[in-house]
Amino acid sequence: MSPYLTRLREAAAEGATAAAALLASYADDAAVAGLLDGIFSASPYLSELIVRDPEHARRCLTGDDGAVFERILSDLGAQMRSAEDAAQAKKLLRQAKAHSALLIAIADISDRWSLSSVTGALTRFADAACSETVDWLLRDAAGTGKLAPRNENEPAAGCGYVVLAMGKHGAHELNYSSDIDLIVLYDPATAPLADGNEPAKFFVRLTKRLVEFLQDITEDGYVLRVDLRLRPDPRATQVAISFEAACIYYENMGQNWERAAMIKARPVAGDLALGEEFRARMVPYIWRKYLDFAAIADVQSLKRQIHSVKGHGEVTVPGHNVKLGRGGIREIEFFVQTQQLIAGGRNPKLRGQQTVAMLDALAEEHWITPATAAELKQAYDFLRRIEHRIQMVNDEQTHELPQSRDRLTVFARFCGFDGVETFAEAVSKVLEGVQRHYNALFEDAGELAGEGGSLVFTGGEDDPETLATLAAMGFAQPSEVSATIRGWHFGRYAATRSAVARERLTEIMPGLLRAIAGTGDPDATFIAFDRFMAGLPAGVQLFSMLRANAQLLDLIALILGAAPRLAEQLSNRPKVLDAVLDPGFFEHVPDRDEALRATQSVIAASTAFEERLDRARVVGKELMFQVGVRILSETVSAGQAGRAYSDIADVLLATMLAAARDEVRERHGDMEGGQVAIVAMGKLGGREMTASSDLDLILIYDHAPEAVASDGRKPLSPSQYYARLTQRLIAAISSQTAEGTLYEVDMRLRPSGSQGPVATSLDSYRNYHAASAWTWEKLALSRARLVAGDGELCSAVAAVIRDALCAKRDAGETLSDIVEMRGRIHAEHGSSDPWNLKHVHGGMVDCEFIVQGLQILHAHGRPNILDPTTSNALDKLHAAGILSDADKQALSASNALNHRLLQVLRLCVGEHFAPDRASTDLARLVAGAAHCPDIASTQSLLADQCRQVDSLFG
């Protein structure tokens, strides 16, 4: 015997007349007995309602269903109007909920009500609960002097506060244990608030009380679970939103899923006239006049993402989700809503809220066949009733069929089937039919499938299946990832403000997340991508490119995970990715000729000075980005990268020199016989530049002996003229424009350093290096290279440099100077950290000192050993017999390792590298550059080579 039947008999035995009367009906009426037996065996929730109130249960089993229901609603209204306090009002609401829940369930199970009657009754009760609660709260506010209603008997009329029902509630299609989705609006201009009451605070507090009244669990249970997350940008907005703010949001930022959701919006409580005004305002937003297949792709993509889970395509009845699973209720709703969004703008007949009615309308308007409409209506009725049975078991908002055979057997009987086999056959047939129609509707839609499962970022809160998918992909903070992506879709960044951008983003989302998850630290890379998104001025172009070239997603993930410097460039100019799409991109690195062609194609001699600066920056950054991508993809050597960066700098320097000369000529004219030459020192001189190198430059000039001033409208003396030219050149290279800077410029290596003039005449340069230059300046001069200027003067300057380097010098004095300089540098910058590649003992500076010192010591007799590039100089010193095999091998190995590491580190982190804080991707890149298996091995190798170079110096 059922324990619930036993409890009824015990109550009757104790004199409970209501229990006795119900038992009498059980004994006398086979239909009542069968119904009660079915409920007692399958639904603890309904069984408790019956045992708790057998008198009401008997009315539900034997009375007029419609009359009983109307009495529940009318009693609730009358009782709420006389409720003296919140506790009493809450109790009345929960009692009415229990009465309506039992009545509707019995009418449903016994097939006395159609599906529309069941969902209509569930919706009407929700409407009444919301409306009566709002009215009570408004009366309470009036009683405390915070509100002055226009009509005391109808406090909601003109109150400036409206509750909109959304989703199934709005469409009169609530399921048995459904949450109710609400959007709450208020109009501060019309709300009759007492003086001193701030509308936003008042209505937010009122809304919170509304939620409390409906969903707080007391000894009497709860009324309805309330979901306010369909409001605009729920993480950034209050639970009640001003009317105008909501309108502006939807009209400017509303997403396509919100368009679909707004179809079902309906005012149910408060100022209903204000709600209707809002609905009228939303008509142009929801119902676009023209067919909008680009927009509808966004809605379609959401459903396709849900189905990306492996194996989800198979319909298996145990555990199947009749709402979200294949062939489920959601597919029928999407089938209807997507076509409504496409066609409803031109055809008002397709603007209805209810699924079944719209299936008929779609058939009448020839969007689907009558047979399709009939089959989907029948499927919808069947699945909704199954959904109700699932929820009646324990009053839970669930949609999954039982997994175990025993529970599924009981459930099948609860649904009126003889056993599992007949039930499974019927369910499978319906699900497969729905799936067939749904797939036919979207058969031309592109695939968005990922491999991890559901990826849905609509609404205001997390989708549990999506969180599980993200966790399985490797994200440690899936909820943060989900919330951030929803923020993108709410248009919080400029890149996603347009509807088209959000649609494109939705389509690439599975591939994007898959690429980010493939990095060593998905959460850190995702945060970097969020920063990248925040910096994008627009998104349509980039998202469209990624949609058409999915292979770029892995590259972007690598850039974001390992190279913040490149990521910033990419954020400012997404167009730089265009070059990567060239089939020959990975076959060469940008060289001087390519840089020259690219520069000349966008910078005409007649272009204004500021525009030439901007265009040079655009070209330079794009070319440098390409080199950076090659370094990250490990498809270029350190030497190739250094030469490529240097070639780009050479061309840009020559271009900026021409721009500066034109600018100076405009005001000051020409200098008779005037010539200039640009000497590059340091990394640029040695053609060993990295992503962050500055330019060490010297400007040398010459002019006719008789020239005393330029011939322009504002003449200058030669020294003033070329000082002005140098200043314009520095500004052209390093000043901040709308496109950023090109390079930092350092001119401290000029004669007399920062104390000397910024431009040096040829004679002064020659005399200085013949008589005054210090040993350290001779060392620096070994890396000098003429990179731009007038050919005749460049040749003359090159001769001066060669003569200075090949001059005979005292070996002991020179070596003593080098040792002293090394000591000073180590005292100021020295480090024991092997990752301080330049200044660690035995690091790059020591290696370069050895090479430069040997060159200036031996160039007098063997000038062929001179070469500004360290690796080339080492080869020449070895070939000349100045370096032994062992020493050359040690120095070359150290130099090569340092340059490989420097290219990666300067590209990715700038000056300081902390291996213990490096991302997995960066650690892999660094170890790869060292040809080592991991960071620890790389650090060990660095330390060994530093010791070798340090011993050579000693």
Side-chain angles (χ1 to χ4, degrees):
M1 180 184 297
S2 164
Y4 298 103
L5 199 57
T6 300
R7 287 169 60 187
L8 281 174
R9 288 178 173 168
E10 290 173 349
E14 293 173 0
T17 58
L22 180 59
L23 287 172
S25 296
Y26 177 83
D28 297 340
D29 190 328
V32 169
L35 194 55
L36 284 176
D37 286 342
I39 291 173
F40 288 159
S41 66
S43 173
Y45 171 67
L46 295 178
S47 300
E48 280 294 335
L49 292 181
I50 291 169
V51 172
R52 188 190 307 165
D53 193 342
E55 181 178 356
H56 176 65
R58 186 167 179 273
R59 283 197 298 270
C60 294
L61 288 162
T62 61
D64 181 332
D65 298 328
V68 173
F69 184 67
E70 295 301 331
R71 179 67 178 272
I72 293 171
L73 296 185
S74 63
D75 285 351
L76 176 62
Q79 293 165 350
M80 286 291 286
R81 279 189 289 275
S82 61
E84 295 180 356
D85 56 29
Q88 185 182 4
K90 289 180 181 180
K91 189 175 189 69
L92 292 170
L93 287 164
R94 282 152 182 75
Q95 289 174 346
K97 159 64 185 293
H99 286 166
S100 65
L102 184 59
L103 172 67
I104 294 168
I106 289 174
D108 188 355
I109 295 168
S110 62
D111 288 330
R112 298 203 297 261
W113 278 1
S114 66
L115 174 64
S116 62
S117 297
V118 171
T119 58
L122 290 166
T123 302
R124 285 189 63 201
F125 174 76
D127 287 357
C130 289
S131 179
E132 296 296 344
T133 301
V134 168
D135 285 356
W136 191 93
L137 292 170
L138 292 172
R139 285 192 296 269
D140 184 58
T144 58
K146 296 178 181 178
L147 185 76
R150 292 178 170 81
N151 184 335
E152 292 185 1
N153 295 322
E154 295 181 19
C159 69
Y161 176 84
V162 64
V163 177
L164 298 172
M166 306 293 290
K168 287 183 168 63
H169 187 188
H172 297 273
E173 294 175 341
L174 277 179
N175 58 49
Y176 189 77
S177 295
S178 182
D179 297 353
I180 56 171
D181 294 299
L182 305 178
I183 292 178
V184 179
L185 307 176
Y186 65 89
D187 184 359
T190 62
L193 296 179
D195 291 342
N197 268 329
E198 201 279 312
K201 290 183 179 179
F202 176 81
F203 288 120
V204 165
R205 190 178 298 115
L206 185 72
T207 303
K208 290 179 178 179
R209 292 196 73 193
L210 168 64
V211 174
E212 171 197 326
F213 268 53
L214 294 178
Q215 77 173 20
D216 277 9
I217 298 175
T218 71
E219 62 181 8
D220 299 301
Y222 73 103
V223 187
L224 295 158
R225 287 179 292 266
V226 179
D227 193 336
L228 297 170
R229 295 172 297 180
L230 286 183
R231 69 185 186 274
D233 201 354
R235 283 171 64 94
T237 57
Q238 288 283 8
V239 291
I241 302 171
S242 78
F243 180 94
E244 196 60 31
C247 290
I248 290 171
Y249 169 83
Y250 287 116
E251 291 164 355
N252 293 280
M253 302 297 302
Q255 302 175 54
N256 284 309
W257 69 265
E258 289 174 304
R259 285 178 62 210
M262 199 56 68
I263 291 174
K264 298 181 184 295
R266 179 174 60 87
V268 296
D271 191 341
L272 301 184
L274 180 65
E276 291 300 340
E277 182 183 346
F278 178 76
R279 285 217 298 179
R281 179 90 172 258
M282 289 297 98
V283 167
Y285 160 67
I286 303 170
W287 306 113
R288 298 182 185 175
K289 185 175 181 181
Y290 301 104
L291 295 182
D292 192 1
F293 289 105
I296 206 62
D298 187 47
V299 179
Q300 295 172 352
S301 71
L302 300 175
K303 187 59 181 173
R304 293 201 301 279
Q305 288 179 35
I306 289 174
H307 290 163
S308 65
V309 64
K310 289 180 178 178
H312 207 161
E314 300 175 5
V315 173
T316 54
V317 173
H320 193 79
N321 190 313
V322 298
K323 176 182 178 181
L324 299 178
R326 288 287 192 181
I329 296 165
R330 180 62 59 83
E331 287 195 351
I332 302 174
E333 293 170 342
F334 263 74
F335 183 97
V336 172
Q337 287 176 315
T338 50
Q339 293 179 93
Q340 282 185 278
L341 288 177
I342 292 174
R346 295 186 302 161
N347 188 344
K349 294 180 181 179
L350 298 178
R351 297 182 184 180
Q353 295 178 317
Q354 294 185 294
T355 302
V356 171
M358 283 300 96
L359 283 168
D360 287 333
L362 286 168
E364 290 170 7
E365 299 302 308
H366 307 293
W367 280 85
I368 60 176
T369 66
T372 296
E375 186 173 351
L376 289 176
K377 286 195 306 181
Q378 184 179 12
Y380 185 75
D381 186 286
F382 179 86
L383 292 173
R384 288 300 307 272
R385 288 184 178 276
I386 296 296
E387 178 186 45
H388 288 172
R389 297 296 192 282
I390 293 172
Q391 294 173 352
M392 287 174 189
V393 173
N394 284 308
D395 189 27
E396 294 175 340
Q397 178 66 348
T398 180
H399 312 275
E400 293 182 356
L401 292 167
Q403 186 73 48
S404 72
R405 184 175 180 84
D406 289 345
R407 290 181 57 211
L408 192 59
T409 299
V410 172
F411 183 77
R413 290 180 180 143
F414 187 41
C415 294
F417 288 85
D418 294 335
V420 171
E421 286 73 20
T422 55
F423 176 72
E425 182 181 353
V427 171
S428 297
K429 181 179 178 181
V430 170
L431 296 175
E432 288 165 1
V434 172
Q435 188 178 354
R436 183 177 65 254
H437 288 296
Y438 184 83
N439 290 343
L441 180 65
F442 295 148
E443 62 187 356
D444 296 327
E447 281 298 320
L448 294 178
E451 295 184 357
S454 177
L455 291 172
V456 178
F457 303 102
T458 59
E461 295 296 333
D462 295 328
D463 167 49
E465 293 184 32
T466 296
L467 296 186
T469 300
L470 292 171
M473 294 174 81
F475 291 96
Q477 301 291 332
S479 184
E480 290 301 313
V481 172
S482 178
T484 301
I485 294 173
R486 286 198 308 277
W488 298 344
H489 284 286
F490 280 118
R492 291 181 186 159
Y493 295 151
T496 59
R497 295 269 162 80
S498 76
V500 175
R502 294 193 295 271
E503 290 152 14
R504 296 291 180 268
L505 180 62
T506 295
E507 293 183 279
I508 66 170
M509 189 58 63
L512 173 64
L513 289 171
R514 190 163 52 244
I516 291 175
T519 64
D521 188 344
D523 291 87
T525 304
F526 181 82
I527 291 171
F529 189 85
D530 182 53
R531 287 196 300 267
F532 168 65
M533 288 278 286
L536 284 174
V540 174
Q541 182 182 25
L542 175 64
F543 301 153
S544 297
M545 181 191 299
L546 296 175
R547 179 186 177 213
N549 303 277
Q551 73 275 14
L552 291 180
L553 291 169
D554 290 327
L555 175 61
I556 288 179
L558 178 60
I559 290 171
L560 295 170
R565 184 185 298 272
L566 273 190
E568 183 178 357
Q569 294 178 25
L570 184 60
S571 176
N572 292 332
R573 294 194 63 80
K575 184 177 178 292
V576 295
L577 284 173
D578 285 345
V580 182
L581 300 176
D582 188 319
F585 176 78
F586 289 100
E587 296 175 6
H588 76 287
V589 289
D591 57 16
R592 181 184 299 272
D593 291 340
E594 183 175 344
L596 188 60
R597 285 193 302 271
T599 304
Q600 290 175 339
S601 68
V602 298
I603 302 178
S606 59
T607 304
F609 182 68
E610 290 77 11
E611 190 172 351
R612 290 165 85 172
L613 267 55
D614 278 338
R615 293 186 180 186
R617 282 153 174 74
V618 170
V619 171
K621 290 177 184 297
E622 289 184 358
L623 291 170
M624 287 184 272
F625 179 85
Q626 294 175 37
V627 179
V629 169
R630 293 295 304 276
I631 293 171
L632 275 190
S633 60
E634 301 174 279
T635 59
V636 67
S637 69
Q640 289 174 315
R643 288 191 294 275
Y645 279 130
S646 301
D647 284 346
I648 295 167
D650 286 355
V651 170
L652 292 172
L653 188 54
T655 302
M656 292 297 92
L657 175 61
R661 294 179 86 168
D662 288 345
E663 181 75 359
V664 171
R665 185 180 293 116
E666 176 70 21
R667 288 176 62 102
H668 307 292
D670 287 308
M671 186 66 65
E672 184 180 354
Q675 298 184 72
V676 296
I678 304 295
V679 182
M681 311 286 281
K683 294 294 184 188
L684 175 58
R687 302 191 73 199
E688 297 169 346
M689 286 187 69
T690 69
S692 63
S693 295
D694 57 12
L695 304 185
D696 292 299
L697 303 177
I698 301 172
L699 186 142
I700 312 295
Y701 67 89
D702 196 17
H703 54 84
E706 62 274 17
V708 294
S710 60
D711 60 8
R713 51 192 172 84
K714 292 189 175 183
L716 296 173
S717 68
S719 61
Q720 291 175 320
Y721 185 91
Y722 288 106
R724 184 68 52 84
L725 174 61
T726 304
Q727 290 163 353
R728 297 306 289 161
L729 175 62
I730 294 172
I733 297 169
S734 61
S735 63
Q736 184 80 30
T737 76
E739 299 294 340
T741 63
L742 270 177
Y743 304 97
E744 294 299 320
V745 177
D746 188 342
M747 303 198 76
R748 290 175 296 177
L749 291 178
R750 67 186 186 272
S752 301
S754 58
Q755 304 302 314
V758 292
T760 305
S761 70
L762 176 62
D763 288 343
S764 295
Y765 192 66
R766 182 185 291 115
N767 293 337
Y768 182 83
H769 279 293
S772 305
W774 296 76
T775 299
W776 71 264
E777 291 177 294
K778 293 293 194 295
L779 295 178
L781 200 62
S782 69
R783 309 200 70 187
R785 183 169 62 89
L786 275 296
V787 293
D790 299 298
E792 183 181 344
L793 181 58
C794 286
S795 297
V797 173
V800 171
I801 293 171
R802 190 173 186 85
D803 289 346
L805 291 174
C806 293
K808 188 173 180 60
R809 62 193 76 252
D810 182 277
E813 182 181 336
T814 299
L815 289 172
S816 176
D817 287 345
I818 293 173
V819 171
E820 181 183 355
M821 282 185 288
R822 186 205 189 204
R824 289 179 180 175
I825 290 174
H826 280 312
E828 185 175 353
H829 303 290
S831 172
S832 59
D833 178 8
W835 294 105
N836 186 339
L837 301 178
K838 288 180 64 176
H839 295 297
V840 65
H841 281 272
M844 294 184 76
V845 169
D846 283 356
C847 182
E848 290 170 356
F849 264 19
I850 291 172
V851 174
Q852 293 164 11
L854 290 175
Q855 285 183 97
I856 67 172
L857 282 171
H858 297 280
H860 174 69
R862 284 170 280 194
N864 289 340
I865 64 173
L866 294 175
D867 197 296
T869 303
T870 303
S871 59
N872 294 342
L874 280 166
D875 290 339
K876 292 179 179 181
L877 289 167
H878 177 250
I882 298 171
L883 275 177
S884 68
D885 291 347
D887 290 350
K888 192 268 182 179
Q889 182 178 356
L891 289 168
S892 293
S894 176
N895 180 66
L897 174 63
N898 281 321
H899 276 285
R900 291 198 305 271
L901 292 173
L902 197 68
Q903 288 293 355
V904 171
L905 293 178
R906 292 297 182 266
L907 177 69
C908 296
V909 296
E911 291 294 326
H912 303 291
F913 174 62
D916 55 330
R917 295 196 297 271
S919 70
T920 305
D921 286 321
L922 179 55
R924 179 184 58 77
L925 283 169
V926 171
H931 305 157
C932 290
D934 51 44
I935 282 286
S937 302
T938 303
Q939 184 160 318
S940 177
L941 177 61
L942 264 176
D944 287 344
Q945 296 199 345
C946 285
R947 282 191 289 270
Q948 290 187 52
V949 172
D950 193 37
S951 67
L952 290 176
F953 204 104

